[in-house]
Amino acid sequence: LSRLKGGIGNYIALTGARLKPDDLIYTGLATHYVPSKNIADMVDDIVTKSTDITNTRSATNSINDFTSVDIAASVLMSYHEEIARGESYIARHRDEIDELFHEPESVENIMTALEKSKTKFARTTLDMLRKMSPTSLKVTLEGIRRGRHCSDIAECLKMEFRMSQAFMREGSDFYEGIRAALVDKDRKPMWNLEE
């Protein structure tokens, strides 16, 4: 997320936005779209074609230039369906996302900018963020910043794992969020602002 253009990565990370296929394609987080109903057939085709190539290599004792990656890519393309990128939620709100979430100094600055903006998108986003742990928002924003300097995905994943483990400490906001949402269902978390 830290490498996405504009404010998209910060927006997705902070809001926990659920992305639909058109959002994933638009942001570049996905390159292909295969409808759920076709996934089992696609996997079967990949397995079948990979097995055919392996059997052909064994029978002829020849080395074929095709790799399993080539096979998977070929099959994936045969199941890929084009979707309209400009119709995605992220695309429709891209200007606001960039304006409000691109390189903010702090979570407080984002909240202030959302409060000043009078759009429906800003109000909805502000309402969503106000329900979240302030500590989690701040740590997430810092994680995105640090992620920009990681050398590779492995380094990013290690950092994110360590962050997740810190959030899992007993008495953390994670447990309070679970209590408020699932146990007592009062939807009134008492966030620990001293964490």
Side-chain angles (χ1 to χ4, degrees):
L1 295 178
S2 63
R3 308 250 164 93
L4 293 180
K5 294 177 182 169
I8 294 173
N10 287 337
Y11 170 77
I12 294 169
L14 293 171
T15 63
R18 292 185 181 176
L19 304 180
K20 294 183 178 179
D22 54 356
D23 292 314
L24 293 166
I25 296 288
Y26 176 78
T27 61
L29 290 170
T31 55
H32 296 77
Y33 169 65
V34 177
S36 298
K37 65 181 180 170
N38 297 341
I39 290 178
D41 290 339
M42 181 187 70
V43 170
D44 288 345
D45 279 358
I46 291 171
V47 169
T48 300
K49 290 182 178 171
S50 297
T51 303
D52 291 348
I53 295 279
T54 302
N55 290 341
T56 301
R57 281 183 186 163
S58 297
T60 62
N61 230 3
S62 69
I63 297 176
N64 196 323
D65 288 339
F66 286 105
T67 66
S68 55
V69 172
D70 295 327
I71 294 165
S74 171
V75 173
L76 178 60
M77 278 308 297
S78 71
Y79 282 90
H80 169 69
E81 291 184 13
E82 288 293 327
I83 55 177
R85 296 171 190 226
E87 300 298 318
S88 84
Y89 183 82
I90 300 287
R92 288 193 319 269
H93 297 286
R94 176 67 188 271
D95 290 341
E96 282 184 276
I97 289 170
D98 286 347
E99 180 183 331
L100 298 164
F101 288 88
H102 184 63
E103 296 186 13
E105 289 183 28
S106 66
V107 170
E108 291 83 1
N109 286 8
I110 293 171
M111 301 295 254
T112 300
L114 288 166
E115 288 167 356
K116 287 180 182 176
S117 177
K118 301 299 180 194
T119 67
K120 181 180 178 186
F121 170 81
R123 282 191 310 275
T124 302
T125 304
L126 183 62
D127 289 344
M128 187 183 331
L129 292 177
R130 283 183 172 152
K131 294 175 184 171
M132 298 178 177
S133 160
T135 303
S136 296
L137 291 172
K138 291 176 184 186
V139 171
T140 299
L141 184 58
E142 182 61 26
I144 291 290
R145 284 188 184 128
R146 291 183 185 193
R148 290 185 187 114
H149 305 290
C150 290
S151 60
D152 57 20
I153 188 75
E155 188 177 345
C156 262
L157 291 173
K158 283 180 193 174
M159 178 192 67
E160 290 177 14
F161 176 75
R162 289 180 183 130
M163 289 169 53
S164 72
Q165 295 307 295
F167 278 118
M168 297 297 292
R169 285 190 327 262
E170 192 167 334
S172 71
D173 279 354
F174 174 79
Y175 288 98
E176 179 58 17
I178 295 294
R179 182 210 56 79
L182 302 175
V183 178
D184 296 340
K185 298 180 182 177
D186 62 9
R187 302 278 188 240
K188 295 179 182 175
M190 302 297 288
W191 302 124
N192 181 0
L193 300 179
E194 295 178 17
E195 262 186 279

